[in-house]
Amino acid sequence: MVKSSNFREFNKISDVMPAKLEAIFKPGKKNVLLSDYYLEQLLFDVSVATAKKYKNDFLADIVKKQIDIKNINTFFRSVKQKKEKDFLKQYLLTGGHIDKEIFLTAFDNPASLKIAQYEVLINSAKVDFDKAAD
C-alpha cells in the first residue's frame, strides 16, 4: 500500500488516516516534525479506538494519559523554545483527558498551568523550566 501511495485501505483504522498518510508520504519537501506528529496522532487514535472496541477502559485511560503527558511536554518545550502559540496549537495531540484550550490559555503564563491529576509532573517541569531561564 505505501509503495503505491494507495492509503484508502487505512480508513478501516481511522477516517482521517488516508489523508494524513498521503500528506506524510507525498513527494517533495518534507516537514519531519509534522510527519512525526501525524504518525503519533494516528498511533494514539488507533490505540484508543482499539481499547474502546474491546471495551477496555483501563487501556483507553492509559493511552489518554500518555497523550496528556506528551502534551504537557510539548507545552513546556514550546514555551522554552519561545515558539508562537500557533505552533503549540498545531502540535498538541487530541484525544487525551486534558482539553487543548487549557494549554493554549496558559501559554502566555506557563506558571498558571494547573492540572491536579498531573500536579507533580507539571511542578517538576516548572522547576526545570525556571532553572533553564536563569
Side-chain angles (χ1 to χ4, degrees):
M1 275 185 274
V2 174
K3 287 183 180 179
S4 66
S5 297
N6 180 2
F7 300 107
R8 287 183 303 248
E9 297 265 338
F10 287 99
N11 69 357
K12 295 173 187 169
I13 299 170
S14 166
D15 292 343
V16 297
M17 189 177 264
K20 300 287 187 185
L21 289 171
E22 285 176 15
I24 293 168
F25 292 106
K26 73 179 178 186
K29 187 175 178 183
K30 302 283 186 221
N31 180 336
V32 176
L33 188 59
L34 194 57
S35 297
D36 183 56
Y37 164 79
Y38 284 154
L39 290 172
E40 193 164 43
Q41 182 67 64
L42 292 170
L43 170 69
F44 285 126
D45 289 348
V46 169
S47 298
V48 170
T50 302
K52 286 180 180 180
K53 177 181 175 182
Y54 292 103
K55 296 177 176 70
N56 190 330
D57 294 335
F58 176 75
L59 182 58
D61 185 57
I62 288 174
V63 174
K64 289 179 179 193
K65 285 179 179 177
Q66 286 180 310
I67 294 168
D68 291 342
I69 291 167
K70 186 75 172 170
N71 282 342
I72 291 168
N73 188 7
T74 300
F75 172 81
F76 281 105
R77 183 177 289 142
S78 297
V79 171
K80 185 176 180 180
Q81 294 176 354
K82 297 179 172 53
K83 299 290 187 182
E84 298 291 323
K85 190 184 280 191
D86 285 341
F87 176 89
L88 177 64
K89 188 175 185 177
Q90 182 177 12
Y91 290 101
L92 286 172
L93 297 166
T94 59
H97 294 295
I98 306 169
D99 189 85
K100 286 176 147 187
E101 282 303 312
I102 291 173
F103 294 106
L104 297 172
T105 301
F107 184 78
D108 294 322
N109 182 11
S112 71
L113 183 66
K114 293 188 183 350
I115 304 163
Q117 185 176 355
Y118 300 103
E119 184 177 359
V120 172
L121 177 65
I122 291 171
N123 288 340
S124 175
K126 286 178 185 176
V127 168
D128 290 344
F129 181 74
D130 290 340
K131 284 180 186 176
D134 292 340

